[in-house]
């Protein structure tokens, strides 16, 4: 599988680390049902068939976090965007 890094170009998946579902958000501890929401946040995950947004870390490259859209049925990568905006002057 190849991932299209927006900074480095198309790279082999072995340069990346999967870090989880891009849609999951940590619950607010100030809410009344924070304990139950936190248990769901830690232990319950969807297992979708089809397009899915995932977080990947390019550890052996630009060291940026990416949101990769991938089809879980055939592992086809549709696209990737960076969570890290380039600094002024185009530096990463």
């Amino acid at each position: 599988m190849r991932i299209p890094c927006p900074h480095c170009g198309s790279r082999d998946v072995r340069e990346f680390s999967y870090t989880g579902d891009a849609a999951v958000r940590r619950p607010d501890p100030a809410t009344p049902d924070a304990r139950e929401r936190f248990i769901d946040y830690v232990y319950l995950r969807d297992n979708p068939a089809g397009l899915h947004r995932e977080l990947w870390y390019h550890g052996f490259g630009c060291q940026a976090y990416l949101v990769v859209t991938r089809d879980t049925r055939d592992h086809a990568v549709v696209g990737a965007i960076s969570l890290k905006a380039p600094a002024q002057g185009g530096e990463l």
Side-chain angles (χ1 to χ4, degrees):
M1 186 167 79
R2 296 192 64 82
I3 295 178
C5 178
H7 305 290
C8 305
S10 181
R11 296 289 193 254
D12 190 84
V13 71
R14 291 175 287 190
E15 291 188 14
F16 298 85
S17 299
Y18 174 78
T19 61
D21 186 347
V24 176
R25 298 289 180 251
R26 186 181 181 109
D28 181 5
T31 59
D33 58 346
R35 184 177 192 275
E36 290 79 19
R37 287 181 182 226
F38 193 76
I39 290 170
D40 290 349
Y41 166 75
V42 172
Y43 295 108
L44 300 180
R45 292 286 186 258
D46 291 332
N47 189 13
L51 290 180
H52 185 61
R53 291 171 47 98
E54 305 167 330
L55 289 174
W56 288 77
Y57 176 66
H58 195 182
F60 290 102
C62 60
Q63 299 179 347
Y65 281 91
L66 309 177
V67 176
V68 175
T69 303
R70 180 177 68 89
D71 191 328
T72 59
R73 294 171 294 196
D74 60 3
H75 301 291
V77 175
V78 177
I81 59 172
S82 179
L83 288 181
K84 180 180 175 183
Q88 287 182 335
E91 299 171 2
L92 293 178

